[in-house]
Structures are given as C-alpha cells and as structure tokens.
Amino acid sequence: ESHLANNDKEKVAATLGIVNDAMTLMPQEPIHTGKNLNHGAQSTDKDAFYVNRTEIEAHRVNLQHLCRICGGSFKNDPYKRSHPVHGPVDDEMQALLRKKERRATSWPDLLNKVFKIDVRGDMDTIHPTNFCHNCWSVIQRKFSNAPCEVYFPRKGTMEWHPHSMSCDICGTSSHGVKRKKQAPNPQVSKKLRIIAERARKIMYARSRKQVNSKSIMKKITNCQKIHLSTKMLIVDYPADFVKSISCQICEHILADPVETTCKHLFCRLCILKCLKVIGSYCPSCRYPCFPTDLVNPVKSFLSILNTLAVKCPVKDCYEEVTLGKYSHHLSSHKEK
C-alpha cells in the first residue's frame, strides 16, 4: 500500500511539472495582440470622429450662403443682401408695419405669419441663419398690399435635414470629392440662343405696340381742347416732375386727377373713357382696374398741383394764373 501511494504521488508530481513547463513555454502574444487591436479601434474611431466634425463644420459654413426660407443662394443677388432670421425687424419694415397698424418686433413673428414656419427651434448645424432679400420683398408685399413683380420661387418653404453622406447642400461624395460639372451640350446652347433671339424680337414688337397703343388712347380721349398742355407751365421744371403731374394717357396737366390701385395718376375723364373702350385694366401697367377703384390723390399732392402757375391760353391775355384759380379765370373770359 505504501509502495502504491508513493507511485501515485510521483505521477501527480510529474503531471504538475509538465503543466508548469507548458505554462512557461506558452507565449503571451494573444493577450498583447488584443491590446493592439483595441488601441487601433480607438484611433480609427478618433479619425472618424474628426472627419465627421470637419464635414459638419463645412456643412455649417455652406448653410451660411443659403436662404432659410426658399433655399436660394445669396450669390445670385448682385448686392449680396441678406437678413438675420433671429434678429430684430429693420427700420423700413417697421415703418411699413406702423402704417398698417401692425405690431411685430422680431423676424420670427413675421416669418411665422407669412410663411407659416417656426424658426425659434433652429440649429445652426441644420438650418441657415439668414434669409434672402427676395423673401424679404415677399413679406413687404404681403403687408403693403401693393402690386409687385416679386414672387416666391418655390411651391413651399425649404425643408432642412442634418448632414449625411449624400448631402445635396455640400455637393460632395462620401470621399469629399466635388461632383464633376457636365460639359455644355452644343444643341442645348443653340436652342438657348434661338429662344433668346425670339424673346428679343417679341420685346421689340411689344414696345412698338405700346407706342401704337398710346397714340390710340390719345385718339380715344381727344382732350386737346379741354386739358392744358405741359408747355403752358411758366417754370421750366425737371422732366421727372412734369411727368409726375401729367396724365399717363393724354400727357397733359392733370385735370380732376384720380389714382388707381397701382398708384398711377390720370385725368378722370381720360381714364373713364379708356376703361370703357379698352377694358378694365390700367393703361400703364395692365393691372386690373375698375371705375369703382379710382380714388382721389392725397391732399398734399393736390395742394402742390394747385399752386403751379400757367399761362392763360386766351389771346391777348398774358396773365399768369395758378391751376387752383384757372377755372375761375377762364369763366371770367367767357362772361366777357
């Protein structure tokens, strides 16, 4: 029994020695390799984070050149005009709102009223911080109710999204290479030239028609014997001032002036005759106009008009009379 016990102890000791030798001979490389892999993954994550930060920063810089509302570029405006989305309302718009008895001190309130968008929760990494002058003109037209050739360029406001690999704003691929511009097609450029030539011919024909239409309207009114010519003015006023006090149809000095909704001035008799013959639109700008829309100009303009001095057209009368007293002076000639 003691001999068997000694043999078992020797076997156990031998096996323990083999295991210890194996542990000493086993290399420690697997653990070291795992540490290297972790370190490489961390450096890769740092590089990716740095690339994402630079792309987002470039995206934010690109957003500064775009309009928050319509998405148009400020480079299209020759004057590079822009207005802050979160800033106070400028003096010109404030004066217009005061005339209309409206109250708004900041742009977010106006943008919400006109375009139905809330810009208070905007982020500078997703949304632009300025809007273009064209959208400013749309807001002005909304509150002034005046006819204006400014229109919103889109069906709705622009929707903004965070930066991604296929970002339309940055215009770059996933590797940061700019998209190649397509070579101009000669057939397309030829078509554009043909369209431009046709448009030029049409504009020339329209200008000729406008000249003809003016002569036609003068024949319709036939007011040479009724209204005073601008040549009867005593003072040699500037051409722009003379144009402002003359009728847009007969080009005589305004007699019983009326103002249309499009802010053009006519003699009452001339505009009523023209509306009856050519239709219900303004002879100057073709804006819809009806006899019921005609109103008297402001009193300050009428007072300036009545103080202008003219020569009496009656023979052997060299008296200078103001327009306000001209009818009374003419009636005295008739009595004689």
Side-chain angles (χ1 to χ4, degrees), residues 7-40:
N7 286 336
D8 292 335
K9 286 179 182 178
E10 288 175 359
K11 286 179 182 179
V12 169
T15 52
L16 286 171
I18 292 165
V19 169
N20 290 329
D21 294 338
M23 289 293 288
T24 54
L25 292 171
M26 189 179 293
Q28 300 296 323
E29 287 181 1
I31 299 168
H32 185 63
T33 306
K35 287 180 181 178
N36 289 338
L37 287 172
N38 290 334
H39 182 68

Side-chain angles (χ1 to χ4, degrees), residues 70 74 116 130 172 177 198 208 267 276 298 331 333:
C70 66
F74 298 141
K116 309 299 181 188
N130 296 317
T172 57
V177 181
R198 286 179 181 173
R208 293 291 298 273
C267 302
K276 193 174 182 180
V298 291
S331 61
H333 278 296

Side-chain angles (χ1 to χ4, degrees), residues 49-330:
F49 178 73
Y50 178 73
V51 170
N52 289 336
R53 284 292 298 273
T54 53
E55 285 183 0
I56 291 169
E57 188 65 26
H59 179 77
R60 191 178 67 80
V61 171
N62 291 332
L63 286 173
Q64 301 305 314
H65 302 290
L66 300 177
C67 174
R68 167 65 176 87
I69 301 164
C70 66
S73 176
F74 298 141
K75 295 176 182 178
N76 297 331
D77 185 3
Y79 300 103
K80 304 291 187 296
R81 292 168 294 185
S82 62
H83 305 272
V85 170
H86 300 286
V89 178
D90 55 44
D91 295 336
E92 189 176 350
M93 190 66 70
Q94 194 72 258
L96 177 64
L97 293 171
R98 203 177 292 114
K99 281 183 181 179
K100 297 293 178 182
E101 297 180 350
R102 302 288 183 93
R103 289 184 180 180
T105 56
S106 62
W107 283 117
D109 297 335
L110 283 179
L111 296 177
N112 195 11
K113 286 179 182 177
V114 178
F115 298 105
K116 309 299 181 188
I117 55 172
D118 188 12
V119 297
R120 297 181 190 279
D122 284 4
M123 298 173 64
D124 61 348
T125 55
I126 301 174
H127 306 91
T129 55
N130 296 317
F131 63 96
C132 64
H133 192 72
N134 187 66
C135 294
W136 182 92
S137 303
V138 172
I139 299 170
Q140 188 188 34
R141 186 189 64 179
K142 174 76 174 177
F143 288 101
S144 63
N145 297 325
C148 182
E149 294 297 326
V150 178
Y151 300 98
F152 194 62
R154 297 170 57 87
K155 291 183 179 178
T157 54
M158 185 78 175
E159 293 183 2
W160 302 95
H161 303 285
H163 177 67
S164 61
M165 299 296 285
S166 59
C167 183
D168 296 331
I169 294 165
C170 297
T172 57
S173 63
S174 58
H175 301 290
V177 181
K178 289 185 178 180
R179 293 176 181 173
K180 293 181 180 179
K181 292 183 179 179
Q182 294 182 353
N185 193 348
Q187 293 181 353
V188 174
S189 60
K190 188 178 179 181
K191 284 181 181 178
L192 290 172
R193 281 200 303 273
I194 293 167
I195 291 167
E197 286 176 5
R198 286 179 181 173
R200 204 177 294 114
K201 289 178 182 177
I202 290 166
M203 290 297 290
Y204 178 72
R206 281 182 182 174
S207 64
R208 293 291 298 273
K209 281 182 182 177
Q210 284 179 359
V211 172
N212 295 334
S213 64
K214 269 197 172 184
S215 60
I216 290 166
M217 284 190 289
K218 283 182 180 179
K219 288 179 181 178
I220 292 168
T221 55
N222 192 21
C223 59
Q224 292 90 350
K225 295 179 181 180
I226 307 170
H227 298 155
L228 288 171
S229 172
T230 53
K231 294 177 182 179
M232 304 301 293
L233 291 167
I234 293 169
V235 183
D236 187 14
Y237 293 108
D240 291 334
F241 179 76
V242 174
K243 191 176 180 181
S244 66
I245 59 164
S246 57
C247 176
Q248 300 288 313
I249 297 171
C250 66
E251 297 180 350
H252 295 149
I253 299 172
L254 286 165
D256 191 12
V258 290
E259 186 180 348
T260 60
T261 50
C262 50
K263 304 294 181 184
H264 289 120
L265 292 168
F266 304 95
C267 302
R268 189 182 294 274
L269 187 64
C270 297
I271 187 66
L272 290 175
K273 282 184 179 179
C274 283
L275 291 177
K276 193 174 182 180
V277 176
I278 64 175
S280 299
Y281 58 85
C282 176
S284 294
C285 64
R286 307 291 177 180
Y287 191 76
C289 177
F290 300 93
T292 53
D293 298 333
L294 302 175
V295 294
N296 294 323
V298 291
K299 291 181 180 179
S300 57
F301 176 80
L302 293 174
S303 64
I304 293 168
L305 188 67
N306 290 328
T307 54
L308 296 176
V310 292
K311 298 174 187 176
C312 181
V314 179
K315 284 183 179 182
D316 301 328
C317 181
Y318 303 100
E319 196 172 342
E320 296 176 358
V321 191
T322 58
L323 279 174
K325 298 177 181 178
Y326 174 74
S327 57
H328 179 70
H329 177 77
L330 198 64

